[in-house]
Amino acid sequence: MNPVSYQRASSLTEAVRMAGTSRLLGGGTNLVDLMRKGVERPSLLTDVTALSAAIEETEAGGLLIGAAARNSSVAAHPLVRTRYPMLSRAILAGASAQVRNMATVGGNLMQRTRCLYFADVAGSRCNKREPGSGCDAAGGFNRYHAIVGASSACTATHPSDMCVALAALDASVRIVGPAGERTVPLVDFHRLPSDRPELETVLEPGEVIEAVEIPASPFAARSGYRKVRDRASYAFALVSVAAELTLREGRIDEIRIAFGGIAPKPWRAYRAEAALRGSGPSGEAFLAAAALELADAAPLAGNAFKIELAKRTLGAVLTDLTGDDR
């Protein structure tokens, strides 16, 4: 690791003042690991764990989660477990208990890809790490890479489980910076790579994540999260699905779906949602909606299996939620 200085922000205002000239440090579960590998080389770290860690009900009946809240605290919170169970399940599906005890909500939103080429500083080309250098994943080992939303410059996937659930829950991110406050929908917070894969979020210089807000939902209690991976623990998703829905008179009334493991950001499945609203729940309808969502998929040599896996995983989650086993 290169020499690095450390400072601690005691308030949100101080964090914003310090953010423009330093990297922000929450639990450090991703950033410190990347520093050890030489992927990240900051000269100054600002500890922002003094930001709000509160998990509070909003006046509108939703939930406000401070950026410094630990992942384990969110997963265990009674309001999360009862009102937004898929968020709790998604968090528990990620990493170990020790990592969840350290990792923060703000840090989870900012975590970087686990692409092997991104982490291989000495031996691989990566446009995300060194813009303009190339992408060795495109013609290399790409089992874990994106099938939708990627570009010729980058095919890496976003690693978060929590963010997939937040995307399906219509969550938003509260941001504070030198120009003031703004709120960004979670689905718009992460960027697709296009020709600038090094730009991963919409945060501007000096901006700090203050909190994540989840709106009240009449149907979030009927929700699920499923993660398919190469081993049962401590592995990132090949495909994951977060979904919530309501039924009315035997048909799907409202539905929200998000995929993980298939795109450079949590992938909200708007096409599949539109296809399923008003339809009767059946395995055929679920697979048809998934096929519509993935119609533009562009798999690489090593990950074409994700198309069928994503279809069947969505079908399994929706079958569980509707009680349909046909």
Side-chain angles (χ1 to χ4, degrees):
M1 288 172 57
N2 61 300
V4 59
S5 299
Y6 170 91
Q7 60 186 2
R8 189 170 191 271
S10 60
S11 66
L12 177 60
T13 300
E14 196 168 47
V16 171
R17 179 176 60 80
M18 295 175 172
T21 56
S22 66
R23 290 298 305 277
L24 303 185
L25 178 69
T29 55
N30 184 208
L31 177 58
V32 173
D33 184 47
L34 293 176
M35 290 170 63
R36 291 194 186 102
K37 295 175 180 176
V39 177
E40 297 275 9
R41 299 178 63 86
S43 59
L44 177 61
L45 293 176
T46 297
D47 185 328
V48 291
T49 53
L51 297 181
S52 174
I55 304 172
E56 303 172 328
E57 187 174 16
T58 66
E59 291 184 0
L63 207 61
L64 188 67
I65 305 172
R70 304 291 177 174
N71 285 9
S72 55
S73 298
V74 178
H77 197 280
L79 289 178
V80 175
R81 294 177 65 184
T82 56
R83 296 185 186 178
Y84 310 99
M86 74 170 163
L87 176 57
S88 181
R89 292 169 190 157
I91 293 172
L92 293 175
S96 65
Q98 293 89 340
V99 170
R100 294 194 299 268
N101 286 339
M102 287 294 296
T104 63
V105 167
N108 193 297
L109 267 64
M110 294 300 295
Q111 66 177 305
R112 308 196 70 186
T113 182
R114 266 48 173 197
C115 173
L116 297 174
Y117 300 97
F118 173 71
D120 182 20
V121 174
S124 301
R125 298 175 302 159
C126 174
N127 288 318
K128 188 179 288 290
R129 191 182 66 242
E130 295 182 25
S133 64
C135 175
D136 281 344
F141 180 75
N142 43 49
R143 174 176 174 80
Y144 300 100
H145 288 68
I147 58 173
V148 293
S151 72
S152 60
C154 183
T155 63
T157 54
H158 192 268
S160 174
D161 291 286
M162 182 190 79
C163 288
V164 179
L166 291 176
L169 288 168
D170 272 347
S172 58
V173 185
R174 290 190 180 183
I175 299 168
V176 180
E181 301 180 9
R182 63 188 180 114
T183 299
V184 176
L186 189 283
V187 293
D188 297 326
F189 180 77
H190 299 98
R191 297 175 182 264
L192 293 177
S194 185
D195 59 347
R196 296 290 305 277
E198 75 278 13
L199 300 178
E200 297 176 336
T201 74
V202 299
L203 283 182
E204 298 291 343
E207 288 190 322
V208 176
I209 297 172
E210 178 186 15
V212 170
E213 184 171 359
I214 307 173
S217 171
F219 56 97
R222 186 193 285 261
S223 66
Y225 182 79
R226 181 172 294 202
K227 179 179 182 179
V228 181
R229 43 191 164 178
D230 279 332
R231 59 182 189 272
S233 60
Y234 313 148
F236 295 98
L238 293 168
V239 169
S240 63
V241 172
E244 57 178 346
L245 57 82
T246 54
L247 296 172
R248 178 181 295 179
E249 298 179 352
R251 294 185 174 273
I252 295 173
D253 182 44
E254 188 54 79
I255 185 169
R256 295 174 187 160
I257 302 166
F259 284 100
I262 68 168
K265 60 186 285 185
W267 190 263
R268 183 70 180 267
Y270 291 113
R271 289 182 183 176
E273 292 174 5
L276 288 168
R277 288 190 187 96
S279 71
S282 69
E284 293 82 1
F286 301 155
L287 291 177
L292 181 64
E293 185 63 44
L294 298 170
D296 297 329
L300 300 168
N303 67 2
F305 71 94
K306 284 191 176 187
I307 296 176
E308 187 65 21
L309 182 60
K311 292 177 184 177
R312 293 187 177 277
T313 304
L314 177 61
V317 171
L318 297 182
T319 295
D320 287 345
L321 295 180
T322 59
D324 185 280
D325 59 358
R326 288 173 285 175

